[in-house]
Amino acid sequence: MSNPSELLPDFNTLPEPEEISQIATWLSEAGLESLELSNDTGTRLRIRVAQAAADTAEISSVPACPAEPIAGVGTVAVSAPYFGHLCLDRPMGDGVFAPVGSTVRQDDVVALLTLDTLQVPVRAPVDGEVVEIVAAPGALLGYGTEIMTIRPS
């Protein structure tokens, strides 16, 4: 295994402009606005990318995964639009985003995926009623993993 200090950038030199451009492209493609790295001495590197005007009004520019009916069941799967740990509770302790039996509207936030301090909203792909929560709270989910099912209204 590599020495952990070898994995951390030393920031003695800045990345080349081409590298910064590539990182900015990846951030934009992932729907992220910024990336900040720091080392043990407190040196920080922050890269920010501009988002389209329509995206800045939203919590995040990450769209809901496409609505795909589950064969023969009449429900729609809500899938992870990114990777992270599943959080079904609102961050400020205001209850659960979308418990079983609740009614949701298309694009409502029904869960969060968290990775360190990054929080990506999971949005309902359709209007309807939450009929089942499939994934366990706190579980590390990959892109496209089914989180819950909604019966369209």
Side-chain angles (χ1 to χ4, degrees), residues 13-88:
T13 60
L14 291 175
E16 295 295 321
E18 297 81 19
E19 294 170 320
I20 294 173
S21 176
Q22 181 61 59
I23 293 169
T25 299
W26 289 333
L27 289 171
S28 181
E29 288 173 354
L32 302 174
E33 294 178 5
S34 65
L35 170 72
E36 183 173 316
L37 301 171
S38 61
N39 65 9
D40 293 340
T41 63
T43 303
R44 293 183 180 187
L45 171 64
R46 180 181 295 158
I47 301 173
R48 299 185 128 208
V49 295
Q51 298 293 316
D55 290 342
T56 57
E58 297 293 322
I59 294 173
S60 171
S61 61
V62 177
C65 283
E68 296 180 20
I70 298 173
V73 180
T75 58
V76 173
V78 177
S79 301
Y82 201 67
F83 62 92
H85 294 276
L86 179 61
C87 179
L88 298 172

Side-chain angles (χ1 to χ4, degrees), residues 32-150:
L32 302 174
E33 294 178 5
S34 65
L35 170 72
E36 183 173 316
L37 301 171
S38 61
N39 65 9
D40 293 340
T41 63
T43 303
R44 293 183 180 187
L45 171 64
R46 180 181 295 158
I47 301 173
R48 299 185 128 208
V49 295
Q51 298 293 316
D55 290 342
T56 57
E58 297 293 322
I59 294 173
S60 171
S61 61
V62 177
C65 283
E68 296 180 20
I70 298 173
V73 180
T75 58
V76 173
V78 177
S79 301
Y82 201 67
F83 62 92
H85 294 276
L86 179 61
C87 179
L88 298 172
D89 298 322
R90 296 179 184 274
M92 301 304 286
D94 298 330
V96 179
F97 281 105
V100 171
S102 65
T103 301
V104 296
R105 308 231 352 119
Q106 184 174 357
D107 289 330
D108 280 356
V109 175
V110 296
L112 291 175
L113 295 174
T114 62
L115 194 59
D116 197 21
T117 58
L118 174 68
Q119 295 183 329
V120 177
V122 177
R123 299 184 182 278
V126 295
D127 294 349
E129 177 187 356
V130 176
V131 293
E132 182 181 14
I133 297 176
V134 179
L140 180 60
L141 306 180
Y143 172 82
T145 302
E146 184 178 339
I147 296 172
M148 64 180 65
T149 57
I150 297 175

